[in-house]
Amino acid sequence: MSGKIVQFISVSLDGYIEGTGHDIGWHRVDEELHRHFNEELAGMGGFLSGRRTHQLMADYWPTADSDPASTPATREFAGIWRSMPKTVYSTTLEHAGPDTTIVRRVDAGEVRALAAAADGDLTVGGAVLGAAFRELDLIDVYHVYVHPVLVGRGTRLFPPTDTTAELRLDRTRTFGNGVVLLRYDRVGAL
């Protein structure tokens, strides 16, 4: 069923989605894991991201497949990213590029309407935006990728909030590089 909000998030074993200074260099994304991401994300109806995440993606993916050293999975995802409708949540961004809509604030009703109208589920990315969606109980499915590394400090996967959610483990998968997927559905989600 379409209309769900899905969060794909990589996390260290000690619970950080990025190290200090927004470092994500510890992510263990090899060809197997990248192909898995491509398979999952290709069927989405759109990407929702915060400004920093969107700019990081927009700086790399539009031309990533033109690099002769890029892997097959990288070339494939470049096409997925370019063709996907994108929404970036930002109060400061003025221009965001092709197939991208800028939204100034997260409104739960508007997000649910966007998801209902999308041609597939929507994926939310970015630490700040993910926390805002979590606070409003907008995330229906969590794809948590636990990387076999201890980061020590940085941005927590789940910052403190007064919002609770009951989750049901849907599936797990272990990748050859030691990353473990934990996929949870929010009980009572659409």
Side-chain angles (χ1 to χ4, degrees), residues 33-71:
L33 184 56
H34 202 165
R35 280 193 316 268
H36 164 79
F37 288 152
N38 291 355
E39 290 168 10
E40 295 287 328
L41 295 171
M44 290 287 148
F47 294 156
L48 312 175
S49 59
R51 180 197 50 79
R52 190 169 7 108
T53 298
H54 176 77
Q55 288 180 315
L56 180 71
M57 301 291 280
D59 286 346
Y60 181 73
W61 289 109
T63 59
D65 52 350
S66 64
D67 181 350
S70 64
T71 67

Side-chain angles (χ1 to χ4, degrees), residues 104-155:
R104 298 295 176 202
R105 65 182 181 84
V106 177
D107 176 276
E110 290 174 6
V111 171
R112 285 294 177 201
L114 181 65
D119 186 23
D121 294 336
L122 300 178
T123 181
V124 60
V128 174
L129 187 62
F133 273 52
R134 168 75 186 92
E135 182 73 26
L136 294 171
D137 199 25
L138 287 170
I139 301 174
D140 302 307
V141 180
Y142 293 87
H143 287 241
V144 180
Y145 296 86
V146 182
H147 292 248
V149 64
L150 301 172
V151 175
R153 57 180 78 235
T155 304

Side-chain angles (χ1 to χ4, degrees), residues 149-171:
V149 64
L150 301 172
V151 175
R153 57 180 78 235
T155 304
R156 303 283 311 167
L157 172 58
F158 295 115
T161 180
D162 292 328
T163 305
T164 61
E166 185 178 342
L167 305 174
R168 180 184 55 80
L169 182 64
D170 177 65
R171 69 176 174 262

